[in-house]
Amino acid sequence: MSGPAPASASSSQPSFSDLTRERPFMHMWTARLFGTAASQMLLVAIGWHMYELTNSAWDLGLVGLYQFVPALLLALLAGHIVDRHHRGRIVAACFAVQGLVGLVLLLAVMEKHDTRGLLLGLSLVLGAVRAFQMPAQQALTPLLVPPSMLARAMAFSSAGMQGAIIGGPALGGLLFVAGMSVVYGASVAFFVVACVLVLRLRYAYTPAAREPVTLATVFAGVDFIWKRKPVLGAVSLDLFAVLLGGAVALLPIYAKDILHTGPWGLGLLRGAPAVGALVMSIALTRRPVERHVGRTLLLAIGLFGLCMVVFGISRSFIVSLIALAVSGGADMVNVVIRQTLVQLETPDARRGRVSAVNSIFIGASNQLGEFESGATAALLGPVGSVVVGGVGTMLVALTWFKLFPSLAQRDRLVVAMPSGAKPAKPVTPAGPV
């Protein structure tokens, strides 16, 4: 297979059908579909498993913290490695390690050796793996499609991932009926499929020039984002908004003690944000945001916070599902605008390091947000934690209008490369990774 074709000089924009004909991209899209579904099943299982073992909101928060700490500590080094080595092989290795984690948990349940310490220890492993997986996946996508298709490819990738995020937790919840070991076994099988698919991926790959590891090279992604205030505003907005507004860690409590459903209800609650995100990502695939992108981004974050307030005070399972679904759609607007902005402005030689910094913000807003939710729930109760977080998210959106006027006033996504930078020209077809 060949790499992505050069962007056409024609003024006409490529269509969705043009994107689906990019075989390397579609191959990777399928692999990520299986890998994301497996990851979601594993996360749902670990959350429910921990709550069954300890019945503690604090321990649920610790699962998120234990995933975040290694991801934070390894992120910058991981970005440097991603920019220096074959990204496809890195992604395949990450899927393989996560499959081994699922296998260990499967054997532990079967042999009745499952403990709180084991779940926390394996959460550390998952965090370390994701430090490499997230920047590798993000930096790989621009090599699989022409630049003119990147915004549409980002939206379609998000649609596929959200489909997996819907199916993974829902399938995991249903499989709980047959036992926790069945959920872990299914996640292992999905990770194997994802790993095999990535190992067969072919794309144009140019080995990076070797350079010594220095503070300057490792922190190049930080420097890049800091100097571009609209990008800094976008990624930091996600950090603080979702850090305050996330309620994922508390879903087992809501499912069991507030909404009074079982594992099947947890699966639906976990998948509800992905339903809204899937609908929104399909819409953005067909009609990308072209004007007033900064204002749209900030308003979407404000809507996300409002949805968290509604979810927090709701006692109706249906209302809770709707609130989570709308929050997922709002967050998807944030994801597509932010990811497209970062990738289009970043030279390929720095994409791994810039994506690693971006992954720190994403990880903080998710895993650290889970810890924050668990800690505040221990003090304020789960309802107080979610409502206060949602209000905080809306206040963050309002504050960012003032702190980052260049972001709030941005009309269009930046498509051109930074001055003096040249896009990478992959010339060496890589064999199967």
Side-chain angles (χ1 to χ4, degrees):
M1 283 179 207
S2 63
S8 171
S10 171
S11 59
S12 62
Q13 291 297 316
S15 66
F16 175 70
S17 61
D18 292 329
L19 177 64
T20 60
R21 285 194 287 271
E22 295 291 330
R23 296 180 65 190
F25 170 77
M26 295 303 300
H27 199 100
M28 184 62 191
W29 185 87
T30 304
R32 290 184 65 183
L33 201 67
F34 278 94
T36 303
S39 177
Q40 291 300 311
M41 282 193 288
L42 192 60
L43 291 176
V44 168
I46 290 175
W48 189 267
H49 197 165
M50 177 64 82
Y51 197 56
E52 278 201 338
L53 286 176
T54 69
N55 201 39
S56 168
W58 174 260
D59 285 338
L60 281 176
L62 283 181
V63 170
L65 180 64
Y66 274 54
Q67 291 181 35
F68 171 71
V69 170
L72 174 64
L73 296 178
L74 294 174
L76 295 181
L77 177 61
H80 183 86
I81 291 174
V82 167
D83 278 338
R84 297 294 173 265
H85 297 279
H86 198 292
R87 293 164 186 169
R89 295 192 183 108
I90 293 174
V91 174
C94 291
F95 284 145
V97 173
Q98 290 175 89
L100 288 175
V101 168
L103 181 60
V104 169
L105 287 168
L106 170 61
L107 296 176
V109 171
M110 293 176 64
E111 298 296 326
K112 301 188 184 304
H113 293 319
D114 51 327
T115 64
R116 172 181 180 273
L118 177 65
L119 292 177
L120 293 177
L122 292 177
S123 294
L124 285 173
V125 175
L126 292 176
V129 168
R130 285 172 193 147
F132 292 86
Q133 181 180 339
M134 291 182 68
Q137 287 183 165
Q138 291 177 20
L140 181 57
T141 300
L143 298 179
L144 305 181
V145 296
S148 60
M149 289 188 182
L150 186 56
R152 197 179 296 272
M154 289 289 183
F156 186 55
S157 291
S158 297
M161 298 314 100
Q162 295 308 319
I165 291 171
I166 294 169
L171 179 59
L174 292 174
L175 291 177
F176 261 109
V177 176
M180 194 173 297
S181 60
V182 177
V183 183
Y184 287 133
S187 71
V188 171
F190 275 46
F191 277 127
V192 169
V193 173
C195 184
V196 171
L197 287 171
V198 177
L199 287 173
R200 298 183 61 187
L201 178 68
R202 296 176 66 89
Y203 67 94
Y205 166 64
T206 301
R210 301 293 177 177
E211 58 180 318
V213 179
T214 65
L215 286 178
T217 59
V218 170
F219 281 85
V222 177
D223 180 69
F224 185 90
I225 291 177
W226 180 258
K227 290 179 178 178
R228 289 157 178 80
K229 298 306 180 183
V231 178
L232 175 63
V235 296
S236 61
L237 174 68
D238 182 79
L239 166 66
F240 289 104
V242 185
L243 171 63
L244 294 172
V248 172
L250 303 181
L251 290 183
I253 298 176
Y254 268 83
K256 185 175 182 180
D257 299 332
I258 297 177
L259 300 174
H260 305 293
T261 66
W264 66 270
L266 174 61
L268 292 177
L269 289 172
R270 186 72 184 248
V275 173
L278 176 60
V279 173
M280 181 59 69
S281 58
I282 292 174
L284 292 174
T285 299
R286 298 292 180 178
R287 297 190 63 179
V289 178
E290 296 180 349
R291 301 295 304 275
H292 311 299
V293 294
R295 186 174 63 189
T296 300
L297 173 62
L298 293 168
L299 291 175
I301 291 296
L303 177 60
F304 176 86
L306 178 60
C307 289
M308 289 299 99
V309 173
V310 173
F311 172 76
I313 63 178
S314 170
R315 294 298 180 273
S316 164
F317 185 66
I318 298 299
V319 172
S320 297
L321 286 177
I322 293 173
L324 289 175
V326 175
S327 77
D331 189 48
M332 181 50 54
V333 175
N334 160 42
V335 169
V336 171
I337 291 177
R338 174 169 44 84
Q339 296 284 23
T340 305
L341 181 71
V342 170
Q343 294 300 331
L344 286 175
E345 289 203 340
T346 307
D348 184 66
R350 289 191 180 186
R351 280 198 175 112
R353 284 166 287 181
V354 170
S355 296
V357 177
N358 194 27
S359 73
I360 293 176
F361 286 96
I362 295 172
S365 63
N366 292 323
Q367 276 76 51
L368 189 56
E370 291 182 18
F371 173 70
E372 179 272 337
S373 296
T376 55
L379 295 173
L380 305 175
V383 174
S385 173
V386 174
V387 171
V388 169
V391 172
T393 298
M394 290 188 285
L395 292 177
V396 165
L398 289 174
T399 302
W400 255 238
F401 269 101
K402 299 294 185 181
L403 288 182
F404 295 93
S406 59
L407 173 63
Q409 296 167 11
R410 180 175 293 275
D411 185 44
R412 297 180 182 272
L413 288 168
V414 177
V415 177
M417 298 294 293
S419 178
K422 296 181 179 180
K425 296 180 179 180
V427 296
T428 306
V433 293

